[in-house]
C-alpha cells in the first residue's frame, strides 16, 4: 500500500491524473479498503498523503475539486477522461440534435481535450522499462483480476471478525450507539472516494443489533393477511 501511495504521489507530480485516479480507485476497492490491520501499519504521512489525493477525486458538486485543480495546473497533463465523457453525455441528453447550444458546448469540451493532447512530456525513456511494458500481454493480465477472487483473497489475509464482535473491519459497521429507540451507526463508503464515513440514522424496534449482520426484511413476496384471503 505504501508503495502504491508513493506511485500515486509521483503521478500527481507528473499531472497524470488519469492513472492517479486508477490507483486511488484500486486502493478504495472493497477487497483492499477492508484490510483494517494492513491500513493500520501505514505511517501517518502515507495516510495523510492518501487522504489528500483521494479528496481530489471527490464527486461533490460535479467534481468541483478536480475541475478547479485542472484550471490551476500547467501542461503537460493527462486529465481524468471520465469528466469529459460525463460532460459529453450530459450535453447529448440535455441538448438534442438540432439544438443551437449542442454543437457549441460539445466543441468547448473537445477543444479542452485537444489542448491536453497537444502537450508533450519530456521524460527520457528507460529501455528496460520499455522492454517490460512491450512484453506484457495486457488482455491476458487483466483477465487474471477477477473481483470475486480478489475479495476471497482479502478475506483469507484478514478474516472478518466473529459475529457479535464489535471489532469489525472497515466494510462492516464501525460504530453502534443505542439511545432509547434510536440506532445510529456508521458504514464505511468503500464504494466511493473520500475519507469520510456515511452516517445513517434510523429508528430501531428490533432486538440487539449485531454488527456485520444484516437481516433481510423481505423475501421478495408480498405479505397477505389471513383476513384478506378468500
Amino acid at each position: 500500500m505504501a508503495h502504491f501511495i508513493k506511485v500515486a504521489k509521483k503521478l500527481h507530480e507528473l499531472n497524470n491524473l488519469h492513472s492517479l485516479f486508477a490507483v486511488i480507485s484500486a486502493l478504495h476497492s472493497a477487497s483492499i479498503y477492508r484490510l483494517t490491520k494492513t491500513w493500520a501499519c501505514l505511517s501517518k504521512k502515507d495516510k495523510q498523503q492518501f487522504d489528500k489525493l483521494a479528496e481530489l477525486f471527490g464527486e461533490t458538486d460535479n467534481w468541483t475539486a478536480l475541475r478547479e485543480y485542472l484550471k490551476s495546473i500547467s501542461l503537460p497533463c493527462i486529465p481524468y477522461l471520465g469528466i469529459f465523457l460525463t460532460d459529453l453525455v450530459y450535453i447529448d441528453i440535455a441538448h438534442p440534435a438540432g439544438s443551437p447550444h449542442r454543437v457549441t458546448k460539445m466543441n468547448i469540451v473537445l477543444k479542452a481535450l485537444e489542448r491536453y493532447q497537444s502537450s508533450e512530456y519530456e521524460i527520457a525513456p528507460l529501455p528496460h522499462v520499455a522492454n517490460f511494458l512491450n512484453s506484457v500481454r495486457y488482455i491476458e493480465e487483466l483477465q487474471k483480476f477477477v473481483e470475486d477472487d480478489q475479495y476471497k483473497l482479502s478475506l483469507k489475509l484478514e478474516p472478518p471478525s466473529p459475529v457479535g464482535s464489535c471489532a469489525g473491519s472497515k466494510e462492516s459497521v464501525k460504530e453502534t450507539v443505542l439511545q432509547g429507540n434510536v440506532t445510529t451507526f456508521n458504514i464505511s463508503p468503500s464504494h466511493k472516494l473520500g475519507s469520510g464515513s456515511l452516517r445513517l440514522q434510523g429508528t430501531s424496534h428490533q432486538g440487539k443489533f449485531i454488527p456485520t449482520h444484516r437481516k433481510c426484511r423481505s423475501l421478495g413476496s408480498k405479505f397477505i393477511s389471513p383476513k384478506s384471503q378468500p
Side-chain angles (χ1 to χ4, degrees):
M1 287 181 181
H3 170 74
F4 278 102
I5 290 174
K6 292 178 181 178
V7 171
K9 182 181 179 181
K10 188 62 179 180
L11 291 171
H12 182 261
E13 294 173 357
L14 293 171
N15 290 335
N16 187 345
L17 303 182
H18 195 75
S19 297
L20 172 59
F21 181 82
V23 174
I24 297 298
S25 297
L27 291 174
H28 269 105
S29 64
S31 56
I32 303 297
Y33 191 81
R34 65 170 296 278
L35 299 175
T36 309
K37 297 178 181 178
T38 307
W39 282 100
C41 294
L42 288 175
S43 66
K44 184 178 180 180
K45 181 180 178 181
D46 287 336
K47 291 179 182 178
Q48 290 177 343
Q49 183 68 57
F50 175 74
D51 290 339
K52 182 180 179 181
L53 294 174
E55 289 176 0
L56 183 60
F57 295 98
E59 298 180 21
T60 306
D61 296 331
N62 193 21
W63 306 85
T64 298
L66 185 55
R67 291 181 189 274
E68 292 298 324
Y69 181 75
L70 284 172
K71 294 178 182 178
S72 66
I73 61 177
S74 57
L75 299 179
C77 172
I78 302 177
Y80 171 54
L81 298 180
I83 287 184
F84 300 96
L85 296 176
T86 299
D87 290 346
L88 289 173
V89 171
Y90 175 79
I91 294 171
D92 181 62
I93 296 174
H95 303 282
S99 171
H101 301 292
R102 178 186 174 91
V103 176
T104 302
K105 292 189 174 184
M106 282 195 170
N107 282 338
I108 292 174
V109 177
L110 295 176
K111 285 182 179 179
L113 281 173
E114 185 179 6
R115 174 173 171 265
Y116 292 114
Q117 285 180 325
S118 64
S119 64
E120 296 183 0
Y121 283 91
E122 296 181 1
I123 301 177
L126 300 176
H128 64 282
V129 175
N131 292 335
F132 170 76
L133 293 176
N134 290 328
S135 66
V136 175
R137 304 177 69 89
Y138 292 102
I139 300 301
E140 294 180 6
E141 287 295 320
L142 289 173
Q143 290 175 345
K144 296 179 182 178
F145 293 94
V146 180
E147 186 174 351
D148 289 344
D149 293 341
Q150 297 298 315
Y151 198 79
K152 289 178 182 178
L153 178 59
S154 176
L155 293 175
K156 184 178 180 181
L157 293 173
E158 285 191 27
S161 300
V163 176
S165 172
C166 292
S169 55
K170 283 191 176 183
E171 89 285 0
S172 65
V173 176
K174 283 187 172 181
E175 178 185 359
T176 304
V177 181
L178 299 178
Q179 299 177 348
N181 62 342
V182 178
T183 303
T184 303
F185 51 93
N186 288 345
I187 300 179
S188 183
S190 57
H191 64 289
K192 291 181 72 62
L193 292 179
S195 58
S197 295
L198 179 64
R199 180 175 292 274
L200 302 179
Q201 294 184 346
T203 302
S204 174
H205 300 285
Q206 314 240 350
K208 182 179 180 181
F209 178 76
I210 303 177
T212 73
H213 177 74
R214 293 183 181 179
K215 183 177 180 180
C216 180
R217 294 181 178 274
S218 172
L219 297 177
S221 57
K222 185 177 180 181
F223 176 74
I224 301 177
S225 173
K227 296 183 180 179
S228 62
Q229 293 180 352

